[in-house]
Amino acid sequence: SIIKVLLPLIPILDMFVLAHNGSGYHIYNDTGGTSTCGGAIPALTIWLWEEQLVLQFVNKGTFTMNKGTVMNAQTGVQNYAGAKFTFAGGTIKKCTTRGVTNSGTFNMTAGTISNNKSDYGAGITTDGTVNISGGTITANTASADGGAIHINGNNAVVNISGGTISNNKAANSGGGIMNWNGTLTLTGGTISGNTALNGKGIYSNDILRMSGNGSVNTNNDIYLTTNHYVTVTGALNKTSGQVALL
Protein backbone atom coordinates (compact mmCIF):
# COMPACT_ATOMS: atom_id res chain seq x y z
CA SER A 1 0.00 0.00 0.00
CA ILE A 2 1.12 3.54 -0.74
CA ILE A 3 0.10 6.81 0.88
CA LYS A 4 0.66 9.26 -1.97
CA VAL A 5 1.19 12.81 -0.77
CA LEU A 6 0.87 15.37 -3.57
CA LEU A 7 3.21 17.97 -2.17
CA PRO A 8 3.10 20.89 -1.55
CA LEU A 9 -0.51 20.30 -0.41
CA ILE A 10 0.98 19.33 2.98
CA PRO A 11 3.93 21.72 3.15
CA ILE A 12 4.78 21.89 6.86
CA LEU A 13 4.94 19.23 9.54
CA ASP A 14 6.46 20.11 12.91
CA MET A 15 6.95 16.85 14.77
CA PHE A 16 6.33 13.39 13.46
CA VAL A 17 7.12 9.77 14.22
CA LEU A 18 7.04 7.28 11.36
CA ALA A 19 7.31 3.68 12.45
CA HIS A 20 6.19 0.20 11.45
CA ASN A 21 6.39 -3.39 12.54
CA GLY A 22 6.17 -5.26 9.25
CA SER A 23 6.56 -4.31 5.47
CA GLY A 24 4.69 -1.31 2.09
CA TYR A 25 3.47 2.10 3.22
CA HIS A 26 5.18 5.06 1.67
CA ILE A 27 4.98 8.80 1.88
CA TYR A 28 5.60 9.50 -1.76
CA ASN A 29 6.32 12.81 -3.50
CA ASP A 30 5.93 12.67 -7.28
CA THR A 31 4.91 16.21 -8.18
CA GLY A 32 8.16 18.12 -7.77
CA GLY A 33 6.68 19.98 -4.80
CA THR A 34 8.44 21.37 -1.76
CA SER A 35 7.81 20.30 1.81
CA THR A 36 9.33 21.06 5.19
CA CYS A 37 9.09 19.09 8.41
CA GLY A 38 9.55 21.56 11.22
CA GLY A 39 6.96 24.33 11.24
CA ALA A 40 3.56 25.33 12.58
CA ILE A 41 1.66 22.11 13.28
CA PRO A 42 2.31 21.03 16.92
CA ALA A 43 2.51 17.27 16.40
CA LEU A 44 1.81 14.47 13.98
CA THR A 45 2.39 10.83 14.90
CA ILE A 46 1.93 8.04 12.38
CA TRP A 47 2.16 4.43 13.50
CA LEU A 48 2.17 1.85 10.69
CA TRP A 49 2.17 -1.62 12.14
CA GLU A 50 1.80 -3.96 9.16
CA GLU A 51 3.66 -2.49 6.20
CA GLN A 52 7.04 -1.12 5.21
CA LEU A 53 7.54 2.55 5.96
CA VAL A 54 9.73 4.77 3.87
CA LEU A 55 9.95 8.42 2.92
CA GLN A 56 10.22 8.31 -0.86
CA PHE A 57 10.97 11.24 -3.15
CA VAL A 58 11.13 11.31 -6.95
CA ASN A 59 10.92 13.64 -9.94
CA LYS A 60 12.64 16.71 -8.53
CA GLY A 61 10.75 16.70 -5.23
CA THR A 62 12.33 18.78 -2.45
CA PHE A 63 11.97 17.89 1.21
CA THR A 64 13.53 19.33 4.37
CA MET A 65 13.40 17.39 7.62
CA ASN A 66 14.09 19.53 10.69
CA LYS A 67 12.57 17.34 13.40
CA GLY A 68 10.93 14.00 13.97
CA THR A 69 11.81 10.32 13.77
CA VAL A 70 11.83 7.71 11.03
CA MET A 71 12.33 4.29 12.59
CA ASN A 72 11.87 0.53 12.26
CA ALA A 73 11.46 0.71 8.48
CA GLN A 74 13.14 -1.41 5.87
CA THR A 75 14.57 1.71 4.19
CA GLY A 76 14.04 4.97 6.08
CA VAL A 77 14.46 7.45 3.22
CA GLN A 78 14.45 6.65 -0.50
CA ASN A 79 15.65 9.67 -2.48
CA TYR A 80 15.53 9.15 -6.24
CA ALA A 81 17.48 10.83 -9.05
CA GLY A 82 16.42 14.46 -9.44
CA ALA A 83 15.06 14.72 -5.90
CA LYS A 84 16.63 16.72 -3.07
CA PHE A 85 16.39 15.78 0.59
CA THR A 86 17.83 18.04 3.29
CA PHE A 87 18.26 16.37 6.65
CA ALA A 88 18.54 19.25 9.13
CA GLY A 89 17.37 17.55 12.31
CA GLY A 90 15.62 14.56 13.80
CA THR A 91 16.52 10.89 13.70
CA ILE A 92 16.58 8.05 11.16
CA LYS A 93 17.12 4.85 13.11
CA LYS A 94 16.68 1.10 13.46
CA CYS A 95 15.92 0.44 9.79
CA THR A 96 16.55 -3.09 8.60
CA THR A 97 17.65 -2.49 4.99
CA ARG A 98 19.43 0.85 5.58
CA GLY A 99 18.73 4.33 6.82
CA VAL A 100 18.98 6.21 3.51
CA THR A 101 19.15 5.13 -0.14
CA ASN A 102 20.11 8.07 -2.33
CA SER A 103 20.29 8.58 -6.09
CA GLY A 104 19.55 12.31 -6.03
CA THR A 105 21.00 14.93 -3.68
CA PHE A 106 21.06 14.27 0.05
CA ASN A 107 22.25 17.15 2.24
CA MET A 108 22.90 16.46 5.92
CA THR A 109 23.41 19.50 8.14
CA ALA A 110 22.26 18.07 11.50
CA GLY A 111 20.35 15.14 12.97
CA THR A 112 21.32 11.53 13.64
CA ILE A 113 21.39 8.39 11.51
CA SER A 114 21.89 5.49 13.89
CA ASN A 115 21.46 1.80 14.60
CA ASN A 116 20.52 0.83 11.06
CA LYS A 117 21.53 -2.45 9.43
CA SER A 118 22.33 -3.53 5.88
CA ASP A 119 24.72 -5.57 3.81
CA TYR A 120 26.21 -2.44 2.19
CA GLY A 121 25.92 1.11 3.51
CA ALA A 122 23.85 0.66 6.64
CA GLY A 123 23.59 4.39 7.30
CA ILE A 124 23.61 5.74 3.74
CA THR A 125 24.15 4.09 0.38
CA THR A 126 24.46 6.44 -2.57
CA ASP A 127 25.02 6.51 -6.31
CA GLY A 128 24.11 10.22 -6.32
CA THR A 129 25.44 13.20 -4.38
CA VAL A 130 25.73 13.42 -0.60
CA ASN A 131 26.88 16.58 1.20
CA ILE A 132 27.53 16.29 4.94
CA SER A 133 28.27 19.44 6.94
CA GLY A 134 26.88 18.41 10.32
CA GLY A 135 25.04 15.76 12.29
CA THR A 136 26.05 12.29 13.43
CA ILE A 137 26.15 8.90 11.70
CA THR A 138 26.76 6.32 14.40
CA ALA A 139 26.28 2.71 15.50
CA ASN A 140 25.24 1.41 12.06
CA THR A 141 26.22 -2.13 11.07
CA ALA A 142 26.94 -3.57 7.62
CA SER A 143 27.26 -7.32 7.16
CA ALA A 144 29.60 -6.66 4.21
CA ASP A 145 30.98 -3.16 3.47
CA GLY A 146 30.36 0.46 4.45
CA GLY A 147 29.12 0.63 8.02
CA ALA A 148 28.11 4.29 7.83
CA ILE A 149 28.29 5.14 4.11
CA HIS A 150 28.62 3.15 0.89
CA ILE A 151 29.64 5.24 -2.15
CA ASN A 152 28.70 3.17 -5.17
CA GLY A 153 29.65 3.91 -8.76
CA ASN A 154 31.22 6.49 -11.04
CA ASN A 155 28.42 9.03 -10.57
CA ALA A 156 28.54 8.86 -6.77
CA VAL A 157 29.99 11.92 -5.04
CA VAL A 158 30.27 12.43 -1.27
CA ASN A 159 31.52 15.70 0.20
CA ILE A 160 32.18 15.82 3.96
CA SER A 161 32.90 19.21 5.54
CA GLY A 162 31.60 18.55 9.06
CA GLY A 163 29.69 16.18 11.29
CA THR A 164 30.70 12.94 12.98
CA ILE A 165 31.01 9.40 11.60
CA SER A 166 31.72 7.19 14.60
CA ASN A 167 31.35 3.71 16.04
CA ASN A 168 30.00 2.09 12.88
CA LYS A 169 30.89 -1.47 11.89
CA ALA A 170 31.47 -3.39 8.67
CA ALA A 171 32.25 -7.09 8.62
CA ASN A 172 34.59 -6.68 5.64
CA SER A 173 35.71 -3.22 4.52
CA GLY A 174 35.03 0.43 5.25
CA GLY A 175 33.80 0.59 8.82
CA GLY A 176 33.11 4.28 8.38
CA ILE A 177 33.05 4.75 4.61
CA MET A 178 33.36 2.41 1.64
CA ASN A 179 34.25 4.33 -1.53
CA TRP A 180 33.64 1.93 -4.42
CA ASN A 181 34.40 3.61 -7.75
CA GLY A 182 33.11 6.99 -6.56
CA THR A 183 34.54 10.32 -5.42
CA LEU A 184 35.03 11.20 -1.76
CA THR A 185 36.15 14.68 -0.68
CA LEU A 186 37.02 15.23 2.96
CA THR A 187 37.50 18.83 4.17
CA GLY A 188 36.23 18.51 7.75
CA GLY A 189 34.31 16.43 10.24
CA THR A 190 35.32 13.58 12.53
CA ILE A 191 35.82 9.94 11.56
CA SER A 192 36.60 7.81 14.60
CA GLY A 193 35.90 4.59 16.44
CA ASN A 194 34.70 2.65 13.38
CA THR A 195 35.67 -1.00 12.87
CA ALA A 196 36.26 -3.29 9.87
CA LEU A 197 38.78 -5.85 8.63
CA ASN A 198 40.11 -3.39 6.03
CA GLY A 199 39.82 0.36 6.33
CA LYS A 200 38.34 1.03 9.73
CA GLY A 201 37.78 4.66 8.81
CA ILE A 202 37.74 4.64 5.00
CA TYR A 203 38.22 2.02 2.29
CA SER A 204 38.75 3.54 -1.16
CA ASN A 205 39.43 2.13 -4.61
CA ASP A 206 38.90 5.41 -6.44
CA ILE A 207 39.11 9.19 -5.95
CA LEU A 208 39.80 10.39 -2.42
CA ARG A 209 40.59 14.06 -1.82
CA MET A 210 41.54 15.80 1.42
CA SER A 211 42.13 19.41 2.46
CA GLY A 212 41.27 21.89 5.18
CA ASN A 213 40.20 20.24 8.41
CA GLY A 214 39.78 16.83 6.84
CA SER A 215 41.30 14.03 8.92
CA VAL A 216 40.75 10.49 10.13
CA ASN A 217 41.37 9.98 13.84
CA THR A 218 44.23 7.84 15.12
CA ASN A 219 42.00 4.91 16.06
CA ASN A 220 40.92 4.59 12.42
CA ASP A 221 42.79 4.27 9.14
CA ILE A 222 42.42 4.69 5.38
CA TYR A 223 42.83 1.59 3.21
CA LEU A 224 43.77 2.29 -0.43
CA THR A 225 43.70 -0.38 -3.13
CA THR A 226 46.62 -0.79 -5.54
CA ASN A 227 47.47 2.30 -7.64
CA HIS A 228 45.10 4.56 -5.70
CA TYR A 229 46.07 7.38 -3.41
CA VAL A 230 44.93 10.40 -1.43
CA THR A 231 45.03 13.67 -3.38
CA VAL A 232 45.75 16.65 -1.13
CA THR A 233 43.95 19.52 -2.86
CA GLY A 234 44.81 22.28 -0.38
CA ALA A 235 46.43 23.05 2.95
CA LEU A 236 45.70 20.59 5.76
CA ASN A 237 44.83 22.61 8.85
CA LYS A 238 45.17 20.06 11.64
CA THR A 239 47.65 21.59 14.10
CA SER A 240 48.73 18.46 15.97
CA GLY A 241 48.72 14.70 15.54
CA GLN A 242 48.25 12.79 12.31
CA VAL A 243 45.86 13.69 9.54
CA ALA A 244 45.37 10.06 8.52
CA LEU A 245 46.96 6.64 8.87
CA LEU A 246 47.28 4.88 5.50
Side-chain angles (χ1 to χ4, degrees):
S1 299
I2 295 177
I3 301 173
K4 183 174 285 189
V5 181
L6 300 180
L7 303 175
L9 295 179
I10 304 179
I12 299 176
L13 306 176
D14 185 52
M15 288 294 294
F16 67 99
V17 175
L18 302 176
H20 93 110
N21 196 24
S23 61
Y25 280 87
H26 299 70
I27 292 179
Y28 188 95
N29 172 19
D30 69 352
T31 65
T34 300
S35 182
T36 300
C37 286
I41 299 175
L44 173 65
T45 300
I46 303 174
W47 297 95
L48 303 175
W49 294 106
E50 297 178 357
E51 303 285 347
Q52 177 192 4
L53 173 75
V54 64
L55 296 176
Q56 190 175 60
F57 305 96
V58 298
N59 296 342
K60 299 183 180 180
T62 299
F63 190 92
T64 299
M65 178 176 168
N66 292 320
K67 300 178 181 180
T69 302
V70 178
M71 63 182 293
N72 296 338
Q74 290 184 6
T75 298
V77 173
Q78 177 82 50
N79 198 48
Y80 284 95
K84 179 180 179 181
F85 189 102
T86 298
F87 185 38
T91 304
I92 301 169
K93 65 180 182 179
K94 297 182 180 179
C95 298
T96 58
T97 301
R98 65 181 48 88
V100 176
T101 299
N102 175 66
S103 295
T105 299
F106 183 86
N107 298 320
M108 183 173 180
T109 62
T112 301
I113 300 174
S114 66
N115 296 105
N116 302 287
K117 296 181 179 180
S118 186
D119 48 358
Y120 297 92
I124 301 171
T125 189
T126 181
D127 57 10
T129 298
V130 172
N131 301 305
I132 300 173
S133 59
T136 301
I137 305 175
T138 188
N140 301 284
T141 302
S143 60
D145 305 319
I149 302 173
H150 188 263
I151 307 168
N152 184 27
N154 295 332
N155 295 321
V157 175
V158 172
N159 303 305
I160 300 175
S161 59
T164 299
I165 298 172
S166 65
N167 301 319
N168 302 281
K169 298 179 182 179
N172 295 328
S173 301
I177 302 171
M178 160 63 82
N179 179 26
W180 189 257
N181 299 329
T183 299
L184 171 62
T185 300
L186 187 64
T187 61
T190 299
I191 299 175
S192 67
N194 304 287
T195 59
L197 289 178
N198 299 304
K200 295 180 179 66
I202 299 171
Y203 180 105
S204 180
N205 78 339
D206 213 307
I207 298 171
L208 173 55
R209 302 181 178 124
M210 294 181 68
S211 65
N213 295 316
S215 66
V216 178
N217 284 12
T218 56
N219 59 8
N220 273 190
D221 65 333
I222 298 175
Y223 184 99
L224 301 172
T225 59
T226 303
N227 296 325
H228 291 93
Y229 45 85
V230 177
T231 300
V232 178
T233 57
L236 293 167
N237 298 331
K238 190 171 182 180
T239 58
S240 63
Q242 68 186 33
V243 172
L245 174 65
L246 304 182

